[in-house]
Amino acid sequence: MIEVGTTAPGFRLQGHLGRTVDLDAERGKRHVMLLFYPLDFTPT
Amino acid sequence: MPALDARLDRLQAAHTLAVGISVDSTFSHSAWASALGGIRLPLLSDFHPKGAVAKSFGVYLEAAGITDRATVIIDAGGTVRYAVGVTPAGERDIEALVAQCEAIDAAWEGTLSPAEAPPGLPDGAKLYIRDDCMFSNWALYARDNLHLRDSLPVVNVSTDDAARAELETVGGKSQAPALRVGDTVMYESKDIGEYLAKHCATR
């Protein structure tokens, strides 16, 4: 697990609404909360 | 995810972009999000290379080929402020996580971007779908995930003759799915999805 206080690694992933999310593009604009989860169609 | 979608206003007020991430494809994400009642926060696909982003955060469960149920909060400076896994079968306290985001934002020095409201759909937009059609399903999922159930009416040309005739008159053909906006008709599900996202997705 990444440690608190370190710099988050950048990434660029496709989202389900058609938009790509690029972590580095949010720098200086917004905070980002990543909710990793195992699989769709399983209890949240 | 529904618990998070319900708190979207608070996340926007706290200058926070919340996203879900799993190894599933965007197609699976759309279908599942729709099944949950429509999810507006982006669900990202850590699809190829499989789990690469999860690995970079140390939350990929290699043996099972899935990501852990883990939450990472990154401030607007790019620093990790919170990183906790609860195991795949565990539960997250969404209220506590949103409160964390609010606390980080409250203590943040400097100005962050305000949330941009999308323009919304013009009056009179209508979605035409047909039975047993994968592309129609995609258009319906997009409608659900953008919370357009109350504002974008749907008609089924497979069962509604008047709707089929109307579509043929306005657009030139009765092919579905089709999105009508005034006198313009879009016939490709990709174009429909892009148009709806552009006009209705929270930025």
Side-chain angles (χ1 to χ4, degrees), chain B residues 67-88:
Chain B
T67 62
D68 192 13
R69 194 175 307 280
T71 311
V72 181
I73 301 177
I74 302 155
D75 68 25
T79 302
V80 174
R81 302 288 295 274
Y82 178 95
V84 174
V86 297
T87 79

Side-chain angles (χ1 to χ4, degrees), chain A residues 1-23 25-44, chain B residues 4 14-22 24 28-30 32 39-41 43-45 57-58 67-72 74 76-78 80 83 85 92 105 112-113 145 197 203:
Chain A
M1 171 76 67
I2 195 166
E3 280 184 17
V4 170
T6 58
T7 302
F11 64 80
R12 203 158 174 267
L13 291 179
Q14 188 75 19
H16 79 297
L17 295 165
R19 205 170 60 118
T20 302
V21 172
D22 184 327
L23 182 64
E26 300 299 331
R27 185 76 65 95
K29 299 198 175 123
R30 290 189 285 194
H31 317 292
V32 179
M33 177 160 64
L34 308 178
L35 294 112
F36 291 95
Y37 64 96
L39 283 171
D40 292 339
F41 294 99
T42 62
T44 54
Chain B
L4 217 53
H15 304 98
T16 301
L17 171 66
V19 300
I21 310 182
S22 79
D24 297 285
S28 178
H29 283 336
S30 282
W32 183 56
I39 301 294
R40 291 168 295 177
L41 47 132
L43 298 181
L44 307 183
S45 292
F57 283 88
T67 62
D68 192 13
R69 194 175 307 280
T71 311
V72 181
I74 302 155
V80 174
R92 272 184 269 241
D105 187 60
L112 296 174
S113 302
N145 292 323
R203 165 63 189 86

Side-chain angles (χ1 to χ4, degrees), chain B residues 130-137 156 158:
Chain B
R130 63 181 176 93
D131 288 337
D132 303 315
C133 169
M134 157 174 102
F135 303 100
S136 288
N137 280 352
N156 186 343
S158 299

Side-chain angles (χ1 to χ4, degrees), chain B residues 121 125-128 152 167 177-181 184-187 191-192 195-196:
Chain B
L121 279 178
K126 190 188 262 183
L127 180 65
Y128 299 77
L152 179 59
L167 179 57
L179 178 68
R180 176 183 175 183
V181 179
T184 310
V185 180
M186 271 160 265
Y187 284 104
D191 293 339
I192 292 169
Y195 181 94
L196 290 177

